[in-house]
C-alpha cells in the first residue's frame, strides 16, 4: 500500500490571503522569519484577517535562515505558554520549517529532537493545533510537504525531518508575497524547485500520482524562471505555482542525493553557509550524470529533456539537459563547483570522508534511483569540488 498526501485546502491567486477569514479557532500563533513581511504590510494584514475571524493572536518572530534546534525549542515553549489551536507560519522555507518542528514539540513535549530523525515515525499531531503555511519565496514548497529541515549547528549538519503528520492543513500560495524577492533569492529558490521536480520524477518512489506534477513543474520553471529572475511579475507568479507543484510531487515521491549532499555540506565549511538552493543548483548536473548510468533513470532524464524542448539523440539529450541547467546557473550567477564557490581545498579534503558518510546516511539517499556507497560519494563530491566530469 502506498500513500499520497497533500494539505486539505490550497488557496492560490490574487488576494488568497483572504482565506484566513474562513478558519475557525480561538487562538493563532504567527511564526515569522526576519522583518520583510512586516515591512511590506503582510504581517498586519494576516493578523487583521485572523482577528476578523474571532482569533486571539500572538507572534513568534526572528526565525533565522536555516533554523536551529534551539530556535525550534524556544518557539515550542512560546506555543506551550500561549496554547494556540492554529499555528500560522509565513515567510520563506525557514520559518515554515521551524514552525512545523515547533508544532511537534508543542503537542508532544516529551519527544526529543533525536526521536524525530527517524523518517515517518512522528507521534500523531492535531490534538492541540492545526497548521497553515503561507510561503513568500518560490522554492522550498514546504507549505505542501511532509518535510522540515532543521540545523544542528553544534554538529554542522542539516537534518531533513519527514512525516506526513507535518503536512500543513492549509496552504495559501498568494503571488503578491513573492513579488518582493530579490534576484539572488529568486535564482536559488527557483533552482531548488527545479531540483525538487527533477529528483521527484526520477526517484525510486515516483508514481502515476507524482509524475504529472513533477513534469508540469519542470515545464513551467524552464519557461518562466529566467524571466522571473529578470523581473517579470507575471512569470514570478507562474514560478510561485510551479514550486508548489514540485513540492506536491517530491513530498510523495521523495528526493535523491542532490539533496543528501546539500543537507550535509550546507553548514559544514568555515566559509559560511552554502545556501540550500545554490547547493542544489551546483550539484544537480553532476548527479544527473551519475544517475543516468542506470537505464530507468536515463529514460526519465530523456523525458525531462523533451519536456524542456531539448532536441537530439537520447545520449545527447542527457548532456544537453546538464548544459541547460548549467546555462541557467551561469545566467543567474550560480557557481559551477565548490571550488568556484570559494570552499577551501584543504578544508574540503579534511572533511570529505565525514561529509560523504553523512550524505550516504541522509534520509534522501534511499530514494535515489542509483545506489551509492561512501567511496562513490567521496568521488562524486570530489568531482563537484573541482568541476570534473562524472565518469563512474
Amino acid at each position: 500500500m502506498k500513500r499520497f498526501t497533500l494539505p486539505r485546502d490550497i488557496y492560490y491567486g490574487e488576494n488568497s490571503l483572504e482565506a484566513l477569514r474562513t478558519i475557525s479557532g480561538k487562538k493563532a500563533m504567527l511564526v515569522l522569519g526576519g522583518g520583510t513581511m512586516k515591512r511590506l504590510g503582510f504581517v498586519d494584514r494576516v493578523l487583521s484577517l485572523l482577528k476578523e475571524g474571532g482569533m486571539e493572536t500572538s507572534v513568534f518572530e526572528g526565525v533565522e535562515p536555516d533554523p536551529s534546534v534551539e530556535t525550534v525549542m524556544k518557539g515550542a515553549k512560546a506555543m506551550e505558554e500561549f496554547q494556540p489551536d492554529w499555528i500560522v507560519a509565513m515567510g520563506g522555507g525557514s520559518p515554515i520549517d521551524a514552525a512545523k518542528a515547533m508544532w511537534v514539540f508543542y503537542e508532544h513535549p516529551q519527544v526529543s529532537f533525536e526521536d524525530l530523525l527517524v523518517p515517518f515515525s512522528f507521534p500523531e499531531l492535531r490534538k492541540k493545533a492545526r497548521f497553515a503555511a503561507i510561503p513568500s519565496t518560490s522554492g522550498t514548497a514546504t507549505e505542501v510537504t511532509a518535510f522540515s529541515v532543521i540545523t544542528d549547528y553544534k554538529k554542522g549538519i542539516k537534518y531533513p525531518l519527514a512525516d506526513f503528520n507535518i503536512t500543513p492543513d492549509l496552504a495559501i500560495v498568494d503571488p503578491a508575497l513573492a513579488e518582493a524577492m530579490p534576484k539572488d533569492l529568486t535564482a536559488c529558490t527557483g533552482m531548488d524547485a527545479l531540483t525538487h521536480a527533477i529528483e521527484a520524477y526520477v526517484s525510486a518512489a515516483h508514481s502515476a500520482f507524482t509524475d504529472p506534477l513533477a513534469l508540469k513543474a519542470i515545464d513551467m520553471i524552464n519557461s518562466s524562471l529566467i524571466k522571473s529572475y529578470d523581473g517579470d511579475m507575471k512569470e514570478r507568479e507562474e514560478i510561485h505555482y510551479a514550486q508548489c507543484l514540485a513540492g506536491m510531487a517530491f513530498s510523495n515521491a521523495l528526493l535523491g542525493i542532490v539533496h543528501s549532499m546539500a543537507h550535509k555540506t550546507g553548514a559544514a565549511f568555515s566559509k559560511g553557509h552554502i545556501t540550500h538552493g545554490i547547493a542544489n543548483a551546483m550539484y544537480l548536473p553532476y548527479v544527473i550524470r551519475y544517475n543516468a548510468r542506470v537505464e530507468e533513470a536515463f529514460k526519465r532524464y530523456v523525458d525531462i529533456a523533451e519536456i524542456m524542448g531539448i532536441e537530439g539523440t537520447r545520449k545527447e539529450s542527457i548532456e544537453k539537459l546538464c548544459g541547460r541547467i548549467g546555462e541557467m546557473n551561469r545566467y543567474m550567477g550560480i557557481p559551477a563547483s565548490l571550488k568556484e564557490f570559494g570552499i577551501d581545498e584543504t578544508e574540503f579534503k579534511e572533511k570529505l570522508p565525514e561529509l560523504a558518510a553523512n550524505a550516504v546516511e541522509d534520509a534522501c539517499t534511499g530514494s535515489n534511483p542509483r545506489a551509492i556507497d561512501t567511496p562513490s560519494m567521496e568521488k562524486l563530491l570530489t568531482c563537484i569540488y573541482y568541476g570534473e566530469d562524472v565518469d563512474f
Side-chain angles (χ1 to χ4, degrees), residues 4-295:
F4 183 83
T5 300
L6 297 175
R8 182 182 183 279
D9 291 298
I10 301 171
Y11 291 89
Y12 62 96
E14 188 177 359
N15 293 320
S16 51
L17 278 179
E18 298 291 320
L20 289 170
R21 296 178 194 272
T22 68
I23 64 176
S24 59
K26 295 180 179 179
K27 290 183 172 184
M29 175 166 278
L30 180 60
V31 179
L32 303 167
T36 302
M37 292 293 97
K38 185 177 287 187
R39 287 196 304 273
L40 296 175
F42 289 114
V43 172
D44 286 343
R45 187 174 172 201
V46 164
L47 292 173
S48 175
L49 288 166
L50 290 168
K51 287 172 184 174
E52 284 179 35
M55 306 267 269
E56 183 184 345
T57 61
S58 178
V59 177
F60 182 90
E61 56 190 328
V63 175
E64 71 273 42
D66 301 301
S68 65
V69 177
E70 289 77 13
T71 294
V72 167
M73 296 307 182
K74 192 183 301 182
K77 185 172 185 294
M79 289 176 185
E80 182 61 36
E81 291 169 358
F82 184 64
Q83 291 288 307
D85 48 13
W86 273 96
I87 299 163
V88 180
M90 181 169 67
S94 295
I96 300 174
D97 278 4
K100 286 180 175 181
M102 293 171 191
W103 183 21
V104 180
F105 292 111
Y106 166 48
E107 297 220 7
H108 298 278
Q110 79 284 359
V111 168
S112 71
F113 183 72
E114 288 69 28
D115 291 335
L116 304 186
L117 300 184
V118 179
F120 301 99
S121 65
F122 286 26
E124 286 295 316
L125 299 180
R126 296 171 177 81
K127 292 179 171 62
K128 292 183 180 179
R130 286 178 287 170
F131 194 100
I134 310 169
S136 64
T137 61
S138 305
T140 71
T142 188
E143 73 275 7
V144 294
T145 76
F147 292 87
S148 166
V149 179
I150 305 299
T151 302
D152 184 332
Y153 284 92
K154 292 174 183 173
K155 296 180 180 176
I157 295 177
K158 293 184 180 183
Y159 289 103
L161 310 181
D163 196 281
F164 287 120
N165 270 290
I166 58 171
T167 303
D169 298 283
L170 171 68
I172 298 176
V173 189
D174 191 323
L177 278 72
E179 290 182 1
M181 285 194 300
K183 294 186 81 164
D184 59 343
L185 187 57
T186 301
C188 68
T189 55
M191 293 307 291
D192 188 22
L194 181 62
T195 305
H196 289 156
I198 290 176
E199 288 211 292
Y201 188 70
V202 302
S203 164
H206 75 85
S207 73
F209 290 83
T210 59
D211 285 352
L213 294 164
L215 286 176
K216 183 60 178 176
I218 291 165
D219 184 23
M220 293 172 72
I221 295 165
N222 179 57
S223 299
S224 298
L225 179 55
I226 296 300
K227 295 172 188 172
S228 172
Y229 176 79
D230 285 335
D232 185 323
M233 290 303 146
K234 181 59 184 170
E235 303 296 338
R236 181 76 53 88
E237 180 177 357
E238 291 296 298
I239 292 295
H240 207 43
Y241 302 153
Q243 64 88 31
C244 188
L245 295 179
M248 295 181 209
F250 90 76
S251 185
N252 292 280
L254 308 180
L255 293 163
I257 59 173
V258 177
H259 273 78
S260 302
M261 292 187 291
H263 291 148
K264 297 311 185 260
T265 58
F269 298 108
S270 58
K271 177 180 171 61
H273 269 75
I274 307 172
T275 304
H276 181 67
I278 299 295
N280 282 339
M282 278 194 292
Y283 304 167
L284 181 57
Y286 298 92
V287 171
I288 290 173
R289 291 186 176 100
Y290 176 81
N291 286 341
R293 290 176 177 266
V294 173
E295 179 62 21

Side-chain angles (χ1 to χ4, degrees), residues 222 304-311 324:
N222 179 57
I304 290 167
E306 287 177 358
I307 206 80
M308 294 176 74
I310 293 168
E311 297 178 350
R324 173 71 60 82

